[in-house]
Amino acid sequence: MREVRERCVWSQQISHRDLVPYLIEESHEVIDAVEGGTRADLREELGDLLWQVLFHAAIAAQDPDDPFDIDDVAATLTEKMVRRHPHVFAGEVATTPEEVLVHWNAAKAAEKRTRRSVLDGIPRGMPALALAQKVVGRAAGAGVVDAGTDAATSAARPTSEAELGDALLGLVAVARAEGWDAERALRERLRALEAEVREAESGS
């Protein structure tokens, strides 16, 4: 990576922002390999994703004001994983996945003390459906019951992921037939839910 950054004229001009589309694409290619590819596909795609991490670290190492390199990235990650696994690296005990999650969430909460809302830290660039699952989970944790949940329970409720896929595809087909933008519709509904969560957090 150092050689490429130093000797490839294209790579020399690339910034963190320039790499974002490639990072997204490579992440989705890993997902494709996990869900439907071969072991060779997965090995290759994980390498491509790792290249993105190395590329970002190489760019960061050349920052004149706040440089860091791949060793710094690895050290930060190691420190975080040690903190979040006290049942492995310290004297805490966790014998079930649920107990592990308690330790993980406690450590994460301690790290993020500056956050003022359960919604803080959710990446806004996530696809709408993934974003919805994240926001609904955080909203439930804040004690906010989403009206959309009531609508879902009153309709024919899927009993498997396959049925859920059928139901979602059916909703997309309805949106297409009506000329609606399904992605935009979900994002707009999420904005309303987020407003409900922040209102509940403020006590108003």
Side-chain angles (χ1 to χ4, degrees):
M1 183 67 248
R2 291 191 187 96
E3 289 288 311
V4 168
R5 183 69 174 170
E6 290 173 5
R7 300 172 60 184
C8 172
V9 291
W10 181 84
S11 299
Q12 290 168 359
Q13 306 301 316
I14 295 297
S15 68
H16 290 298
R17 188 176 293 272
D18 295 330
L19 275 181
V20 167
Y22 301 100
L23 178 60
I24 294 170
E25 180 180 348
E26 297 298 351
S27 298
H28 283 291
E29 289 181 359
V30 169
I31 294 169
D32 284 346
V34 168
E35 294 180 344
T38 65
R39 299 289 293 173
D41 293 333
L42 181 58
R43 183 170 62 245
E44 178 183 356
E45 298 305 340
L46 285 172
D48 289 347
L49 186 59
L50 177 59
W51 183 256
Q52 293 297 308
V53 175
L54 294 170
F55 209 151
H56 277 285
I59 295 169
Q62 295 176 327
D63 188 283
D65 301 316
D66 186 18
F68 61 82
D69 62 16
I70 192 64
D71 291 331
D72 298 316
V73 171
T76 300
L77 175 61
T78 298
E79 291 165 6
K80 178 190 288 186
M81 291 302 107
V82 168
R83 282 195 310 272
R84 293 191 182 182
H85 293 81
H87 53 290
V88 175
F89 299 103
E92 300 293 342
V93 175
T95 58
T96 67
E98 292 75 18
E99 290 174 352
V100 170
L101 195 57
V102 168
H103 291 307
W104 179 277
N105 288 335
K108 188 173 181 179
E111 294 165 11
K112 311 296 183 181
R113 286 195 182 99
T114 58
R115 291 184 176 174
R116 305 179 64 183
S117 170
V118 296
L119 301 175
D120 291 348
I122 298 177
R124 307 311 306 171
M126 293 174 71
L129 198 56
L131 180 62
Q133 190 148 344
K134 197 82 169 175
V135 171
V136 167
R138 297 283 182 91
V144 175
V145 178
D146 179 25
T149 304
D150 297 333
T153 54
S154 63
R157 186 183 181 91
T159 58
S160 68
E161 279 196 1
E163 289 184 7
L164 176 62
D166 289 340
L168 291 170
L169 189 59
L171 288 172
V172 171
V174 170
R176 181 179 180 279
E178 295 292 340
W180 300 332
D181 186 319
E183 179 91 1
R184 183 175 62 235
L186 184 54
R187 284 192 177 277
E188 289 181 353
R189 182 61 186 88
L190 284 173
R191 278 193 285 274
L193 175 57
E194 290 170 354
E196 293 171 31
V197 171
R198 295 187 188 278
E199 184 177 353
E201 288 175 328
S202 68
S204 57

